[in-house]
Amino acid sequence: NAGVTQTPKFQVLKTGQSMTLQCAQDMNHNSMYWYRQDPGMGLRLIYYSASEGTTDKGEVPNGYNVSRLNKREFSLRLESAAPSQTSVYFCASSVGTRGSGELFFGEGSRLTVL
Amino acid sequence: SQQGEEDPQALSIQEGENATMNCSYKTSINNLQWYRQNSGRGLVHLILIRSNEREKHSGRLRVTLDTSKKSSSLLITASRAADTASYFCATGGGNKLTFGTGTQLKVEL
C-alpha cells in the first residue's frame, strides 16, 4: 500500500499563478487534512475534511480552497499564489470522522512562490 | 497558534545515551500524540497517550503525561544515529490537531 501520496513533490510558481496540490490515500480513511510547515512555526492546519462531501477551515485557510473529490482524494488549490504561501505542504489522513486519532502523512509538497 | 510547545528546541547527544524532550500545552486534552520527522520527509506517528494514562511504552520510547501540569515527556533510551530527527507533540480536539514547533534531536556516533 502506498499510504498517502502527494503530487507534485516540488513546484515553483510566480506571484499570481494558480495551482492545485493533489492528495490521495488508499487506507479507506474518513478524514483528510492539509497542513503547511514553515521554519519555526511547526505545522499549521489549513483545511480538513471529516468525511466525503464535507470540508472545514483550519487555522490558516485564507488564500486556499479545497475539494474532497471522493473518499480517497483531497486537493488543495491556490487561486492566486503569493510569496507568503512559500512553504512545505503536507496532506494527512486518519481513520475516524471525529479526529484525535493517529494521522498518516504524505511526504510533502515543496512550493516556492517568486 | 500552537497548543503544544516542545523543549528543548535542539538536543545533541552521543549514541547510546538517553534523550528526553518535553511538551507543554495550554488547554485540557483527550490525548496527546508524539510524531517524528526525518529531514525532508513526512511526519510519522510514534505514540498516543490518553488523558487517563500516566505512562506508556513502545519499544525504546517512554512517554509520560501529567495533566495537572499540562505537560508530557518523551524519553528515547539507548539512542541511535537513526533517531536523528525532529520530534513533535500534537494535541487538540476533534479534527483540529495542533502541533508544536518541535525538538531537533541529533545523535552523534
Side-chain angles (χ1 to χ4, degrees):
Chain A
N1 287 346
V4 178
T5 303
Q6 294 181 230
T7 56
K9 287 185 169 51
F10 299 93
Q11 184 71 50
V12 179
L13 292 177
K14 294 181 180 178
T15 297
Q17 288 185 318
S18 63
M19 77 158 299
T20 300
L21 300 178
Q22 307 285 355
C23 175
Q25 52 90 10
D26 62 3
M27 297 173 283
N28 200 36
H29 285 174
N30 287 293
S31 296
M32 297 186 73
Y33 311 82
W34 277 105
Y35 284 88
R36 61 178 287 175
Q37 184 176 33
D38 302 291
M41 297 291 290
L43 278 83
R44 291 181 292 169
L45 182 63
I46 305 171
Y47 271 95
Y48 67 95
S49 170
S51 61
E52 185 179 352
T54 68
T55 61
D56 285 285
K57 295 178 179 179
E59 183 184 353
V60 288
N62 291 346
Y64 305 95
N65 287 304
V66 290
S67 295
R68 183 74 183 267
L69 303 170
N70 47 56
K71 192 171 186 179
R72 290 186 64 247
E73 299 173 289
F74 189 38
S75 63
L76 178 72
R77 183 162 178 83
L78 287 70
E79 290 291 352
S80 180
S84 61
Q85 294 178 304
T86 293
S87 188
V88 182
Y89 292 86
F90 288 97
C91 179
S93 68
S94 63
V95 171
T97 59
R98 295 186 178 184
S100 297
E102 175 184 354
L103 296 189
F104 292 79
F105 282 84
E107 291 296 314
S109 297
R110 285 145 185 83
L111 175 64
T112 300
V113 183
L114 303 175
Chain B
S1 61
Q2 265 70 47
Q3 160 75 308
E5 292 293 336
E6 293 88 348
D7 172 67
Q9 288 188 335
L11 179 61
S12 183
I13 59 173
Q14 298 294 312
E15 197 172 45
E17 294 180 336
N18 296 341
T20 300
M21 51 205 86
N22 305 296
C23 171
S24 59
Y25 57 92
K26 298 174 184 175
T27 61
S28 61
I29 59 172
N30 292 324
N31 63 60
L32 184 144
Q33 303 180 44
W34 285 91
Y35 288 79
R36 183 188 75 231
Q37 183 180 33
N38 291 90
S39 181
R41 306 296 298 273
L43 280 74
V44 174
H45 182 264
L46 294 176
I47 196 165
L48 181 153
I49 185 166
R50 303 193 186 283
S51 59
N52 61 355
E53 297 176 307
R54 291 296 169 260
E55 187 171 312
K56 199 164 184 179
H57 296 255
S58 177
R60 294 184 295 112
L61 305 180
R62 172 179 169 252
V63 169
T64 62
L65 179 64
D66 187 335
T67 54
S68 66
K69 295 181 179 178
K70 292 187 170 57
S71 68
S72 174
S73 67
L74 171 67
L75 168 68
I76 304 173
T77 60
S79 62
R80 305 165 181 169
D83 295 327
T84 294
S86 292
Y87 292 81
F88 296 87
C89 66
T91 60
N95 282 293
K96 294 189 176 183
L97 195 65
T98 58
F99 290 79
T101 53
T103 292
Q104 289 188 323
L105 172 65
K106 183 175 182 180
V107 181
E108 300 186 79
L109 296 171

